mmCIF file of all heavy atoms in Angstrom:
data_model
loop_
_atom_site.group_PDB
_atom_site.id
_atom_site.type_symbol
_atom_site.label_atom_id
_atom_site.label_comp_id
_atom_site.label_asym_id
_atom_site.label_seq_id
_atom_site.Cartn_x
_atom_site.Cartn_y
_atom_site.Cartn_z
ATOM 1 N N HIS A 231 -7.849 -17.320 3.384
ATOM 2 C CA HIS A 231 -8.655 -18.075 4.361
ATOM 3 C C HIS A 231 -9.944 -18.558 3.734
ATOM 4 O O HIS A 231 -10.684 -19.351 4.376
ATOM 5 C CB HIS A 231 -8.963 -17.182 5.559
ATOM 6 C CG HIS A 231 -9.750 -15.903 5.229
ATOM 7 N ND1 HIS A 231 -9.106 -14.789 4.845
ATOM 8 C CD2 HIS A 231 -11.008 -15.687 5.249
ATOM 9 C CE1 HIS A 231 -10.032 -13.861 4.597
ATOM 10 N NE2 HIS A 231 -11.254 -14.391 4.852
ATOM 11 N N ASP A 232 -10.280 -18.184 2.514
ATOM 12 C CA ASP A 232 -11.527 -18.616 1.907
ATOM 13 C C ASP A 232 -11.344 -20.057 1.332
ATOM 14 O O ASP A 232 -10.295 -20.348 0.828
ATOM 15 C CB ASP A 232 -11.914 -17.707 0.716
ATOM 16 C CG ASP A 232 -12.333 -16.324 1.197
ATOM 17 O OD1 ASP A 232 -13.032 -16.237 2.184
ATOM 18 O OD2 ASP A 232 -11.982 -15.339 0.503
ATOM 19 N N PRO A 233 -12.409 -20.833 1.399
ATOM 20 C CA PRO A 233 -12.303 -22.237 0.903
ATOM 21 C C PRO A 233 -12.150 -22.158 -0.696
ATOM 22 O O PRO A 233 -12.816 -21.364 -1.280
ATOM 23 C CB PRO A 233 -13.608 -22.861 1.292
ATOM 24 C CG PRO A 233 -14.541 -21.779 1.667
ATOM 25 C CD PRO A 233 -13.758 -20.595 2.075
ATOM 26 N N GLN A 234 -11.351 -22.966 -1.205
ATOM 27 C CA GLN A 234 -11.115 -23.039 -2.621
ATOM 28 C C GLN A 234 -12.465 -23.334 -3.361
ATOM 29 O O GLN A 234 -12.673 -22.942 -4.503
ATOM 30 C CB GLN A 234 -10.017 -24.026 -3.043
ATOM 31 C CG GLN A 234 -8.656 -23.413 -2.915
ATOM 32 C CD GLN A 234 -8.465 -22.107 -3.675
ATOM 33 O OE1 GLN A 234 -8.770 -21.961 -4.883
ATOM 34 N NE2 GLN A 234 -7.957 -21.039 -2.974
ATOM 35 N N SER A 235 -13.365 -24.080 -2.621
ATOM 36 C CA SER A 235 -14.647 -24.375 -3.187
ATOM 37 C C SER A 235 -15.494 -23.136 -3.461
ATOM 38 O O SER A 235 -16.504 -23.159 -4.274
ATOM 39 C CB SER A 235 -15.425 -25.303 -2.290
ATOM 40 O OG SER A 235 -15.524 -24.714 -0.963
ATOM 41 N N ALA A 236 -15.126 -21.981 -2.898
ATOM 42 C CA ALA A 236 -15.890 -20.795 -3.090
ATOM 43 C C ALA A 236 -15.516 -20.063 -4.390
ATOM 44 O O ALA A 236 -16.136 -19.130 -4.873
ATOM 45 C CB ALA A 236 -15.574 -19.807 -1.945
ATOM 46 N N ARG A 237 -14.456 -20.516 -5.048
ATOM 47 C CA ARG A 237 -13.767 -19.875 -6.204
ATOM 48 C C ARG A 237 -14.810 -19.553 -7.262
ATOM 49 O O ARG A 237 -14.894 -18.417 -7.692
ATOM 50 C CB ARG A 237 -12.672 -20.813 -6.726
ATOM 51 C CG ARG A 237 -11.475 -19.990 -7.161
ATOM 52 C CD ARG A 237 -10.410 -20.841 -7.652
ATOM 53 N NE ARG A 237 -9.756 -20.079 -8.704
ATOM 54 C CZ ARG A 237 -8.960 -19.043 -8.376
ATOM 55 N NH1 ARG A 237 -8.745 -18.734 -7.128
ATOM 56 N NH2 ARG A 237 -8.408 -18.285 -9.258
ATOM 57 N N GLU A 238 -15.481 -20.627 -7.748
ATOM 58 C CA GLU A 238 -16.359 -20.389 -8.921
ATOM 59 C C GLU A 238 -17.466 -19.427 -8.576
ATOM 60 O O GLU A 238 -17.830 -18.467 -9.360
ATOM 61 C CB GLU A 238 -16.911 -21.722 -9.407
ATOM 62 C CG GLU A 238 -17.433 -21.684 -10.835
ATOM 63 C CD GLU A 238 -18.029 -22.983 -11.323
ATOM 64 O OE1 GLU A 238 -17.555 -24.000 -10.920
ATOM 65 O OE2 GLU A 238 -19.034 -22.960 -12.007
ATOM 66 N N ARG A 239 -18.067 -19.571 -7.389
ATOM 67 C CA ARG A 239 -19.191 -18.755 -6.978
ATOM 68 C C ARG A 239 -18.694 -17.253 -6.923
ATOM 69 O O ARG A 239 -19.309 -16.369 -7.378
ATOM 70 C CB ARG A 239 -19.823 -19.202 -5.640
ATOM 71 C CG ARG A 239 -21.032 -18.403 -5.288
ATOM 72 C CD ARG A 239 -21.656 -18.866 -3.973
ATOM 73 N NE ARG A 239 -20.834 -18.570 -2.807
ATOM 74 C CZ ARG A 239 -20.305 -19.503 -2.033
ATOM 75 N NH1 ARG A 239 -20.397 -20.796 -2.323
ATOM 76 N NH2 ARG A 239 -19.553 -19.113 -0.992
ATOM 77 N N ARG A 240 -17.550 -17.138 -6.301
ATOM 78 C CA ARG A 240 -16.939 -15.739 -6.135
ATOM 79 C C ARG A 240 -16.760 -15.064 -7.484
ATOM 80 O O ARG A 240 -17.071 -13.855 -7.698
ATOM 81 C CB ARG A 240 -15.568 -15.754 -5.423
ATOM 82 C CG ARG A 240 -15.667 -15.994 -3.963
ATOM 83 C CD ARG A 240 -16.168 -14.750 -3.301
ATOM 84 N NE ARG A 240 -16.413 -14.961 -1.875
ATOM 85 C CZ ARG A 240 -15.476 -14.713 -1.026
ATOM 86 N NH1 ARG A 240 -14.280 -14.285 -1.287
ATOM 87 N NH2 ARG A 240 -15.790 -14.861 0.325
ATOM 88 N N HIS A 241 -16.241 -15.908 -8.461
ATOM 89 C CA HIS A 241 -15.945 -15.299 -9.750
ATOM 90 C C HIS A 241 -17.294 -14.835 -10.436
ATOM 91 O O HIS A 241 -17.278 -13.774 -11.058
ATOM 92 C CB HIS A 241 -15.242 -16.352 -10.684
ATOM 93 C CG HIS A 241 -13.699 -16.317 -10.417
ATOM 94 N ND1 HIS A 241 -12.791 -15.942 -11.363
ATOM 95 C CD2 HIS A 241 -13.022 -16.489 -9.245
ATOM 96 C CE1 HIS A 241 -11.599 -15.973 -10.822
ATOM 97 N NE2 HIS A 241 -11.703 -16.319 -9.498
ATOM 98 N N ASN A 242 -18.265 -15.633 -10.243
ATOM 99 C CA ASN A 242 -19.598 -15.261 -10.805
ATOM 100 C C ASN A 242 -20.165 -14.057 -10.112
ATOM 101 O O ASN A 242 -20.748 -13.158 -10.712
ATOM 102 C CB ASN A 242 -20.564 -16.392 -10.700
ATOM 103 C CG ASN A 242 -20.226 -17.560 -11.617
ATOM 104 O OD1 ASN A 242 -19.551 -17.346 -12.609
ATOM 105 N ND2 ASN A 242 -20.573 -18.800 -11.244
ATOM 106 N N GLN A 243 -19.952 -13.994 -8.715
ATOM 107 C CA GLN A 243 -20.526 -12.779 -7.990
ATOM 108 C C GLN A 243 -19.746 -11.547 -8.327
ATOM 109 O O GLN A 243 -20.293 -10.447 -8.300
ATOM 110 C CB GLN A 243 -20.329 -13.115 -6.510
ATOM 111 C CG GLN A 243 -21.324 -14.070 -5.929
ATOM 112 C CD GLN A 243 -20.944 -14.319 -4.458
ATOM 113 O OE1 GLN A 243 -19.787 -14.689 -4.079
ATOM 114 N NE2 GLN A 243 -21.826 -14.097 -3.585
ATOM 115 N N LEU A 244 -18.434 -11.658 -8.604
ATOM 116 C CA LEU A 244 -17.550 -10.449 -8.694
ATOM 117 C C LEU A 244 -17.157 -10.005 -10.015
ATOM 118 O O LEU A 244 -16.582 -8.930 -10.224
ATOM 119 C CB LEU A 244 -16.320 -10.743 -7.756
ATOM 120 C CG LEU A 244 -16.603 -10.681 -6.289
ATOM 121 C CD1 LEU A 244 -15.531 -11.314 -5.532
ATOM 122 C CD2 LEU A 244 -16.823 -9.246 -5.827
ATOM 123 N N ARG A 245 -17.456 -10.826 -11.021
ATOM 124 C CA ARG A 245 -17.104 -10.489 -12.389
ATOM 125 C C ARG A 245 -17.346 -9.029 -12.822
ATOM 126 O O ARG A 245 -16.517 -8.388 -13.480
ATOM 127 C CB ARG A 245 -17.811 -11.452 -13.384
ATOM 128 C CG ARG A 245 -16.973 -11.827 -14.635
ATOM 129 C CD ARG A 245 -17.734 -12.789 -15.517
ATOM 130 N NE ARG A 245 -18.176 -13.971 -14.849
ATOM 131 C CZ ARG A 245 -17.375 -15.021 -14.632
ATOM 132 N NH1 ARG A 245 -16.113 -14.986 -15.006
ATOM 133 N NH2 ARG A 245 -17.840 -16.087 -14.023
ATOM 134 N N GLY A 246 -18.566 -8.604 -12.407
ATOM 135 C CA GLY A 246 -18.972 -7.264 -12.847
ATOM 136 C C GLY A 246 -18.201 -6.166 -12.050
ATOM 137 O O GLY A 246 -18.424 -4.932 -12.328
ATOM 138 N N TYR A 247 -17.411 -6.496 -11.104
ATOM 139 C CA TYR A 247 -16.643 -5.541 -10.282
ATOM 140 C C TYR A 247 -15.156 -5.407 -10.659
ATOM 141 O O TYR A 247 -14.427 -4.845 -9.884
ATOM 142 C CB TYR A 247 -16.860 -5.799 -8.839
ATOM 143 C CG TYR A 247 -18.293 -5.653 -8.375
ATOM 144 C CD1 TYR A 247 -19.182 -6.743 -8.449
ATOM 145 C CD2 TYR A 247 -18.838 -4.416 -8.091
ATOM 146 C CE1 TYR A 247 -20.533 -6.631 -8.143
ATOM 147 C CE2 TYR A 247 -20.169 -4.227 -7.830
ATOM 148 C CZ TYR A 247 -21.006 -5.329 -7.796
ATOM 149 O OH TYR A 247 -22.356 -5.213 -7.494
ATOM 150 N N GLN A 248 -14.840 -6.065 -11.828
ATOM 151 C CA GLN A 248 -13.415 -5.971 -12.229
ATOM 152 C C GLN A 248 -13.060 -4.549 -12.437
ATOM 153 O O GLN A 248 -13.810 -3.734 -13.017
ATOM 154 C CB GLN A 248 -13.307 -6.728 -13.572
ATOM 155 C CG GLN A 248 -11.876 -6.730 -14.047
ATOM 156 C CD GLN A 248 -11.763 -7.214 -15.579
ATOM 157 O OE1 GLN A 248 -12.319 -6.569 -16.467
ATOM 158 N NE2 GLN A 248 -11.155 -8.342 -15.730
ATOM 159 N N VAL A 249 -11.840 -4.121 -12.057
ATOM 160 C CA VAL A 249 -11.301 -2.823 -12.296
ATOM 161 C C VAL A 249 -10.604 -2.873 -13.665
ATOM 162 O O VAL A 249 -9.571 -3.523 -13.790
ATOM 163 C CB VAL A 249 -10.387 -2.297 -11.222
ATOM 164 C CG1 VAL A 249 -9.881 -0.934 -11.562
ATOM 165 C CG2 VAL A 249 -11.179 -2.226 -9.885
ATOM 166 N N ASN A 250 -11.191 -2.152 -14.586
ATOM 167 C CA ASN A 250 -10.609 -2.180 -16.027
ATOM 168 C C ASN A 250 -10.510 -0.690 -16.444
ATOM 169 O O ASN A 250 -10.844 0.180 -15.805
ATOM 170 C CB ASN A 250 -11.380 -3.039 -16.942
ATOM 171 C CG ASN A 250 -12.900 -2.753 -16.891
ATOM 172 O OD1 ASN A 250 -13.240 -1.577 -16.758
ATOM 173 N ND2 ASN A 250 -13.728 -3.774 -16.883
ATOM 174 N N GLU A 251 -9.991 -0.564 -17.675
ATOM 175 C CA GLU A 251 -9.732 0.805 -18.134
ATOM 176 C C GLU A 251 -11.034 1.602 -18.266
ATOM 177 O O GLU A 251 -11.119 2.788 -18.005
ATOM 178 C CB GLU A 251 -9.041 0.774 -19.487
ATOM 179 C CG GLU A 251 -7.527 0.485 -19.348
ATOM 180 C CD GLU A 251 -6.841 0.298 -20.632
ATOM 181 O OE1 GLU A 251 -7.273 -0.542 -21.461
ATOM 182 O OE2 GLU A 251 -5.846 1.060 -20.908
ATOM 183 N N ALA A 252 -12.089 0.931 -18.643
ATOM 184 C CA ALA A 252 -13.410 1.582 -18.811
ATOM 185 C C ALA A 252 -13.886 2.130 -17.446
ATOM 186 O O ALA A 252 -14.383 3.244 -17.307
ATOM 187 C CB ALA A 252 -14.481 0.624 -19.417
ATOM 188 N N LEU A 253 -13.654 1.304 -16.367
ATOM 189 C CA LEU A 253 -14.152 1.795 -15.054
ATOM 190 C C LEU A 253 -13.252 2.900 -14.567
ATOM 191 O O LEU A 253 -13.705 3.916 -14.033
ATOM 192 C CB LEU A 253 -14.063 0.617 -14.083
ATOM 193 C CG LEU A 253 -14.738 0.844 -12.753
ATOM 194 C CD1 LEU A 253 -16.268 0.926 -12.923
ATOM 195 C CD2 LEU A 253 -14.446 -0.275 -11.739
ATOM 196 N N MET A 254 -11.904 2.781 -14.760
ATOM 197 C CA MET A 254 -10.978 3.862 -14.321
ATOM 198 C C MET A 254 -11.279 5.152 -15.047
ATOM 199 O O MET A 254 -11.130 6.240 -14.459
ATOM 200 C CB MET A 254 -9.491 3.418 -14.587
ATOM 201 C CG MET A 254 -8.882 2.391 -13.591
ATOM 202 S SD MET A 254 -9.037 2.792 -11.819
ATOM 203 C CE MET A 254 -8.067 4.268 -11.605
ATOM 204 N N ALA A 255 -11.760 5.077 -16.241
ATOM 205 C CA ALA A 255 -12.082 6.329 -17.050
ATOM 206 C C ALA A 255 -13.206 7.090 -16.399
ATOM 207 O O ALA A 255 -13.354 8.275 -16.651
ATOM 208 C CB ALA A 255 -12.389 5.974 -18.455
ATOM 209 N N ARG A 256 -13.990 6.458 -15.502
ATOM 210 C CA ARG A 256 -15.102 7.119 -14.842
ATOM 211 C C ARG A 256 -14.617 7.806 -13.554
ATOM 212 O O ARG A 256 -15.390 8.544 -12.966
ATOM 213 C CB ARG A 256 -16.261 6.156 -14.572
ATOM 214 C CG ARG A 256 -16.925 5.694 -15.860
ATOM 215 C CD ARG A 256 -17.959 4.718 -15.578
ATOM 216 N NE ARG A 256 -18.723 4.363 -16.828
ATOM 217 C CZ ARG A 256 -19.831 4.991 -17.207
ATOM 218 N NH1 ARG A 256 -20.269 5.946 -16.512
ATOM 219 N NH2 ARG A 256 -20.364 4.653 -18.342
ATOM 220 N N ALA A 257 -13.386 7.436 -13.072
ATOM 221 C CA ALA A 257 -12.910 8.062 -11.812
ATOM 222 C C ALA A 257 -12.387 9.474 -12.224
ATOM 223 O O ALA A 257 -12.346 9.824 -13.432
ATOM 224 C CB ALA A 257 -11.886 7.169 -11.222
ATOM 225 N N LYS A 258 -11.820 10.168 -11.239
ATOM 226 C CA LYS A 258 -11.122 11.445 -11.634
ATOM 227 C C LYS A 258 -10.009 11.161 -12.546
ATOM 228 O O LYS A 258 -9.308 10.139 -12.462
ATOM 229 C CB LYS A 258 -10.587 12.121 -10.360
ATOM 230 C CG LYS A 258 -11.615 12.869 -9.499
ATOM 231 C CD LYS A 258 -10.906 13.689 -8.426
ATOM 232 C CE LYS A 258 -11.908 14.398 -7.583
ATOM 233 N NZ LYS A 258 -11.252 14.918 -6.321
ATOM 234 N N PRO A 259 -9.673 12.152 -13.402
ATOM 235 C CA PRO A 259 -8.580 11.853 -14.421
ATOM 236 C C PRO A 259 -7.296 11.497 -13.811
ATOM 237 O O PRO A 259 -6.510 10.744 -14.310
ATOM 238 C CB PRO A 259 -8.482 13.187 -15.269
ATOM 239 C CG PRO A 259 -9.815 13.863 -14.984
ATOM 240 C CD PRO A 259 -10.340 13.397 -13.700
ATOM 241 N N ASP A 260 -7.008 12.067 -12.602
ATOM 242 C CA ASP A 260 -5.758 11.832 -11.919
ATOM 243 C C ASP A 260 -5.818 10.766 -10.831
ATOM 244 O O ASP A 260 -5.042 10.618 -9.942
ATOM 245 C CB ASP A 260 -5.113 13.045 -11.401
ATOM 246 C CG ASP A 260 -5.884 13.593 -10.207
ATOM 247 O OD1 ASP A 260 -7.083 13.220 -10.015
ATOM 248 O OD2 ASP A 260 -5.338 14.458 -9.445
ATOM 249 N N ALA A 261 -6.956 9.925 -10.869
ATOM 250 C CA ALA A 261 -7.194 8.932 -9.848
ATOM 251 C C ALA A 261 -6.040 7.920 -9.827
ATOM 252 O O ALA A 261 -5.473 7.604 -10.954
ATOM 253 C CB ALA A 261 -8.545 8.216 -10.118
ATOM 254 N N LEU A 262 -5.725 7.444 -8.615
ATOM 255 C CA LEU A 262 -4.659 6.359 -8.518
ATOM 256 C C LEU A 262 -5.371 5.017 -8.483
ATOM 257 O O LEU A 262 -6.563 4.946 -8.061
ATOM 258 C CB LEU A 262 -3.920 6.558 -7.253
ATOM 259 C CG LEU A 262 -3.105 7.881 -7.109
ATOM 260 C CD1 LEU A 262 -2.387 7.952 -5.759
ATOM 261 C CD2 LEU A 262 -2.079 8.032 -8.192
#
Side-chain angles (χ1 to χ4, degrees):
H231 60 273
D232 289 321
Q234 277 307 308
S235 55
R237 215 180 153 72
E238 196 181 328
R239 187 176 70 248
R240 283 289 175 90
H241 278 242
N242 291 333
Q243 284 173 306
L244 288 162
R245 211 179 305 281
Y247 295 93
Q248 181 192 64
V249 178
N250 50 39
E251 283 175 303
L253 192 68
M254 284 306 297
R256 292 177 174 268
K258 278 191 182 165
D260 68 345
L262 299 178

